[in-house]
Amino acid sequence: MPKKLVLVCLINFLIAALMGLALRFSFLESIGLNYRFLTHAHSHVAMLGWVYLMLFTLFVHYFIPDKQKSFTRLFWLTEFAVVGMMISFPIQGYGAISIAFSTLHIFCSYYFVYLIWKHQKANTTVTQKLLKSALVFMSISTLGVWCLGPAVSILGSASAFYQIAIQFFLHFQFNGWFLIGVIAVFFHILNIEDSKTFRQFFALLMTSTVLTFALPVQWFAPHTSLIWINGLGIILQVLALLKFFQLIKQKLNVLDKPKNMFVFYMCCFALVCFILKVVFQSLSILPEFSQVVFNHHNFVIGFIHLLMLGVISGFLFAFMLKSNLFSTSKTLDFGIYSFLLGFVLTELLLLIQGVMFYLGRGIIPNYYSLLFLFSILLPLGISFLLINISKHKNYASKTTKTT
């Protein structure tokens, strides 16, 4: 796996984490930046600079045996678009420059889909189906972005159409492109073979991903039928999770080896977060809980971070650890433990505060100070991972011996 490209992805992740830290500090002191603008920058860099480009790197590494220069050039052009958004969003929010860089990123993603589709050499039907499905969901999700302009000009940014268009993009990015993308890599590493169980899992996963979009639609365009559609999607999602564990339970011993213990533990962490994600999402089958989540920002942020930092980033870290990019040292241990501790503490604090708001108990004493202090652990952990990978001089020789 190209060390330089992984470093770029981690640097993007660090910058996104520092932006998130600044957002939390803004509740304590003024930071001199527009909060909403910085939120846009934080989310775009985290999604498109970290997760998207890391999946880009993994897909090329695992599924493109004949590496082509076009992928490298496309990576750097996509990173250029990310840097453009990184700089322009905090300054102007959604303005001419930031929209131009966002549009460039979308066109880069279309070309990426074309190149992967054309050159991929996935070794099993399982991997091919998941790989192509992830790419299809990524392409479909961008329809939500293209709808934003007409939505604003015709109905305004406060309209249900505008909000649903945003949710369409986010839902199929998070639950479609990102989640199915990491599952594709995970199943490739575990060498999951085609079977009746996999075909059932695949059908349940695809159907539930589409049907559960009814929940965010219900928030902005309430209708009884949407509650039932989301309920069906939730049931299918739970069944998909059960099939998922049936597929992997006999294969995890591939990772359960002394040299891979960190990989094994990170996969277990991501799997636990995956279960929690399905459990919390399943609670939305109750209309009252669904409205509580919508009305309390803590639950929304907590759920997004559970999926992005727990499930997606947990798997991405496991894949990086498996590739011998890191050296076994205290910097690696500290980096991983700091990130995990920061994630767990901030998630617990968000959850507890959300419950207290719902019960009318007010705010936790020193809540914003604690949230800021716990959040420091996230960029701190990423920084130590960057130090470790940067100082790992023997990576090239190790990969040469293994290939």
Side-chain angles (χ1 to χ4, degrees), residues 14-189:
L14 175 60
I15 293 171
L18 290 172
M19 287 179 173
L21 189 63
L23 287 169
R24 286 177 172 171
F25 184 75
S26 69
F27 287 94
L28 302 173
E29 299 285 346
S30 173
I31 57 174
L33 290 171
N34 183 290
Y35 181 88
R36 186 164 56 88
F37 292 176
L38 188 58
T39 301
H40 293 324
H42 166 69
S43 60
H44 279 77
V45 176
M47 290 172 58
L48 307 179
W50 161 236
V51 179
Y52 176 96
L53 282 178
M54 197 61 223
L55 282 174
F56 181 117
T57 305
L58 288 164
F59 278 18
V60 174
H61 174 67
Y62 283 115
F63 307 127
I64 308 295
D66 302 320
K67 303 298 183 286
Q68 313 222 355
K69 291 183 179 179
S70 53
F71 283 103
T72 303
R73 289 194 291 265
L74 180 59
F75 179 94
W76 291 112
L77 180 60
T78 307
E79 173 62 13
F80 172 72
V82 170
V83 173
M85 289 183 280
M86 188 187 298
I87 296 171
S88 58
F89 268 115
I91 297 172
Q92 62 172 195
Y94 277 101
I97 298 175
S98 60
I99 290 174
F101 282 115
S102 301
T103 304
L104 174 61
H105 193 286
I106 290 175
F107 284 122
C108 287
S109 70
Y110 292 160
Y111 188 50
F112 173 66
V113 172
Y114 166 76
L115 287 178
I116 292 289
W117 208 282
K118 180 180 179 181
H119 299 289
Q120 63 86 19
K121 300 292 182 183
N123 58 355
T124 65
T125 303
V126 167
T127 307
Q128 283 195 357
K129 282 186 175 181
L130 291 169
L131 175 67
K132 291 181 177 180
S133 298
L135 295 174
V136 167
F137 276 120
M138 187 251 281
S139 301
I140 290 174
S141 72
T142 60
L143 294 176
V145 179
W146 295 124
C147 288
L148 293 178
V152 171
S153 60
I154 298 171
L155 299 173
S157 59
S159 66
F161 180 39
Y162 178 83
Q163 297 298 330
I164 290 171
I166 293 176
Q167 294 300 322
F168 184 92
F169 172 73
L170 294 176
H171 178 81
F172 290 112
Q173 281 275 311
F174 290 166
N175 297 287
W177 160 224
F178 292 163
L179 184 59
I180 298 173
V182 295
I183 291 175
V185 176
F186 189 48
F187 278 19
H188 172 78
I189 292 172

